[in-house]
Amino acid sequence: MSAHRHKRAPQRRHRTAPATLCAAALASALLAGCAGVTPDHGFAGVADSTRERIGATPRLAQDAAAAQELQEIVRAELAAPLTMDGAVRVALINNPGLQATYWNVGIAQAELAQASRLPNPALGFQRVSGQGEVEIERGLNVNLAAVLTAPLAARLEARRFDAVRREVGAAIERHALETRRAWIEAVAAQQSLDYARRVHAAAEASAELAARMRGAGNIAGLDLAREQAFQADAAAALARSGRQVTAAREKLTRLLGLWGQDTQYTLPERLPDLPDAPAELRDVERLALARRLDVQAAKADAEATAASLGLSRTTRFVNVLELGYAGKSERSAPSMRGYALSLELPLFDWGGARVARAEATYMQALQRVADTAVTARSEARESYLDYRSAYDLAAHYRDSVIPLRKRISHEVLLRYNGMLASTQALLADSREQAGAVNAYIDALRDFWSAQAALQAALGDRIDMPGAQPMPPAANRHEDHQ
């Protein structure tokens, strides 16, 4: 508020100056647009983009009714064995940390709406009296600099709003990747535990048989010790598998945001089978640069920083420019009306430091864009090579190692039935077969984990030719034993 307590000399009234400035201010305000806060807090665009990119739709729990609806969806997903895609769907709507991230979009939208509105005028009133005199001063001021730069500030906030939406989208995709990996680890751990139980049971039977044969004098003490050592190793492997199941399942539960009775969900007995062929991708670097949200977010941040630099250069000399109405009345004098204009004089601060900071921030943003692009290219190459290597290894076990082990086991069993092979040979073959099956489970787990990492590195889904869920456990175990 401006106070004018001194006596002013008669001045010629300039009626057009305040009117012109006010008109300019209103025009600027109109150009700034009227962005508001939408009922979905700006999250609908993020949800649509996520559904297109990863095939799952995140939802924002805006109130108690929406939270209850999401809880019912989660319960429906958990009613059946939780698939990999089902786990992602549950995580995107039920994880509290992710829900907190969703609200960043609403905060950015509110800031955009705030930047698109005119600053509030400041109303001042002062009354003084003494020696029978009463003096009243009134003032109504508005920050004219803020009004004139409102369109640029609104565009700046709009860019930041887009950047926040991309950042939230990237956070969603990271969480989806972690959930997929956790699901793969949990199912593979459970699969390994089931097989470890079978191996342990077989080892116990072998050790008991060897003890009886040793008692009858049919085998040497060395052979008995080998069978007992195999039983001890199988018991240790069973214990390790149990610990891995607990750790993997709890990690998945945290990512899903589950607690209480919901933690009693079930998982499929086995990982999906290996696809018939790996995905053939060309120019993975170009695909990553075009699709990854972190690259797009870095570009948007650089553009917003450039706009901020322009704003700093425009207002470097003007920090405060206020225009307002001024009125003054005294009991013994006629009332006076006019306008007040306040402008900060750039005597000590020419705005050079602010511009230098904005320029440094802009150059920093450019380097971050370059760093993000280099990282995206490298991760795309690494992920694709890892994906292909993991597929080749898993296919090697599926097409070569496991069939050969089956063939060897069949031949050993034939010789044993024909009394051409000893019991020790049969038990030794069982130990070697158990190692091959465990290695195949690990290779299959590594492939699906590499496939999820590749999708995240490219920012897009990968069509898997011939990928089918594995058949029921009983049939598959027969294939591997």
Side-chain angles (χ1 to χ4, degrees):
M1 180 183 71
S2 301
H4 308 279
R5 300 178 62 85
H6 60 278
K7 297 291 184 182
R8 292 179 176 175
Q11 298 179 358
R12 186 175 59 183
R13 304 179 66 182
H14 298 278
R15 295 179 179 276
T16 56
T20 303
L21 293 174
C22 290
L26 291 175
S28 300
L30 291 176
L31 291 174
C34 300
V37 178
T38 58
D40 62 357
H41 300 277
F43 193 71
V46 178
D48 294 340
S49 175
T50 303
R51 180 173 58 251
E52 177 187 353
R53 295 169 65 87
I54 66 175
T57 305
R59 293 185 58 179
L60 181 65
Q62 302 186 44
D63 49 35
Q68 180 63 30
E69 181 183 357
L70 296 182
Q71 188 64 28
E72 293 175 359
I73 295 175
V74 171
R75 296 281 172 79
E77 289 280 0
L78 300 181
L82 192 61
T83 63
M84 187 189 305
D85 291 338
V88 173
R89 288 193 294 270
V90 171
L92 296 194
I93 64 176
N94 194 62
N95 185 275
L98 204 57
Q99 283 283 338
T101 305
Y102 295 166
W103 284 104
N104 289 340
V105 180
I107 294 172
Q109 188 189 51
E111 291 176 348
L112 171 60
Q114 185 67 39
S116 303
R117 293 172 182 170
L118 284 174
N120 291 325
L123 176 63
F125 179 82
Q126 181 177 5
R127 181 182 183 277
V128 294
S129 61
Q131 298 179 352
E133 296 291 334
V134 177
E135 183 176 299
I136 299 176
E137 293 183 359
R138 298 172 292 274
L140 181 64
N141 295 336
V142 63
N143 190 332
L144 191 58
V147 174
L148 294 176
T149 59
L152 185 57
R155 288 196 295 272
L156 177 63
E157 290 298 331
R159 290 191 179 95
R160 294 197 186 281
F161 177 51
D162 290 338
V164 169
R165 289 197 295 185
R166 290 189 180 92
E167 290 172 359
V168 172
I172 294 172
E173 293 189 5
R174 286 194 299 271
H175 196 90
L177 170 62
E178 293 178 3
T179 303
R180 290 183 188 278
R181 282 178 164 172
W183 184 91
I184 292 168
E185 292 286 343
V187 175
Q190 182 61 48
Q191 188 173 350
S192 296
L193 177 61
D194 293 340
Y195 192 73
R197 287 171 177 162
R198 293 170 179 265
V199 171
H200 181 253
E204 283 186 329
S206 299
E208 182 179 354
L209 176 61
R212 292 180 180 178
M213 294 178 68
R214 174 60 181 167
N218 293 329
I219 63 173
L222 177 61
D223 296 330
L224 174 61
R226 284 174 177 167
E227 295 307 319
Q228 291 174 338
F230 178 57
Q231 180 192 8
D233 291 341
L238 181 61
R240 283 196 299 270
S241 298
R243 291 181 58 193
Q244 291 173 356
V245 167
T246 301
R249 187 179 176 89
E250 287 302 322
K251 181 179 180 181
L252 177 61
T253 301
R254 289 194 296 272
L255 292 170
L256 296 175
L258 299 177
W259 64 281
Q261 292 295 324
D262 292 337
T263 60
Q264 305 302 318
Y265 59 89
T266 59
L267 293 171
E269 295 180 345
R270 296 184 170 277
L271 291 170
D273 207 352
L274 194 67
D276 297 335
E280 295 289 344
L281 302 177
R282 300 182 184 279
D283 201 2
V284 292
E285 297 181 30
R286 181 194 57 78
L287 184 60
L289 293 180
R291 296 288 298 173
R292 284 177 56 137
L293 286 180
D294 58 343
V295 177
Q296 298 178 15
K299 291 179 180 178
D301 183 65
E303 293 173 356
T305 306
S308 177
L309 174 60
L311 178 62
S312 298
R313 285 173 173 170
T314 302
T315 62
R316 62 182 303 179
F317 300 117
V318 182
N319 273 339
V320 177
L321 175 61
E322 293 184 346
L323 173 68
Y325 162 80
K328 179 179 180 181
S329 63
E330 297 182 32
R331 178 178 296 177
S332 59
S335 300
M336 293 183 292
R337 297 184 177 84
Y339 64 89
L341 183 64
S342 175
L343 172 64
E344 180 183 283
L345 298 178
L347 297 181
F348 307 106
D349 183 7
W350 289 77
R354 286 188 291 118
V355 173
R357 184 184 186 281
E359 289 176 346
T361 304
Y362 175 64
M363 294 305 298
Q364 188 181 51
L366 289 182
Q367 293 301 322
R368 283 176 177 166
V369 172
D371 179 67
T372 304
V374 170
T375 302
R377 288 174 179 272
S378 176
E379 290 181 352
R381 294 193 302 269
E382 180 185 7
S383 299
Y384 186 59
L385 292 176
D386 183 58
Y387 163 80
R388 292 302 301 263
S389 299
Y391 180 86
D392 293 342
L393 181 60
H396 174 70
Y397 274 99
R398 180 193 62 182
D399 301 334
S400 300
V401 176
I402 297 300
L404 283 174
R405 283 295 170 194
K406 288 176 59 180
R407 181 180 174 183
I408 292 173
S409 298
H410 180 69
E411 293 294 335
V412 171
L413 184 60
L414 289 178
R415 283 164 173 73
Y416 177 77
N417 292 335
M419 302 182 69
L420 298 176
S422 64
T423 305
Q424 290 73 27
L426 184 64
L427 297 176
D429 176 71
S430 299
R431 292 194 293 269
E432 294 174 355
Q433 187 182 19
V437 172
N438 282 324
Y440 177 64
I441 294 174
D442 292 343
L444 195 59
R445 177 201 61 197
D446 293 343
F447 166 75
W448 285 113
S449 181
Q451 192 259 354
L454 177 60
Q455 289 188 150
L458 300 182
D460 202 356
R461 286 182 291 178
I462 302 173
D463 294 331
M464 301 302 301
Q468 297 293 335
M470 294 188 83
N475 296 336
R476 299 302 301 179
H477 271 301
E478 291 177 356
D479 293 341
H480 295 161
Q481 289 183 338

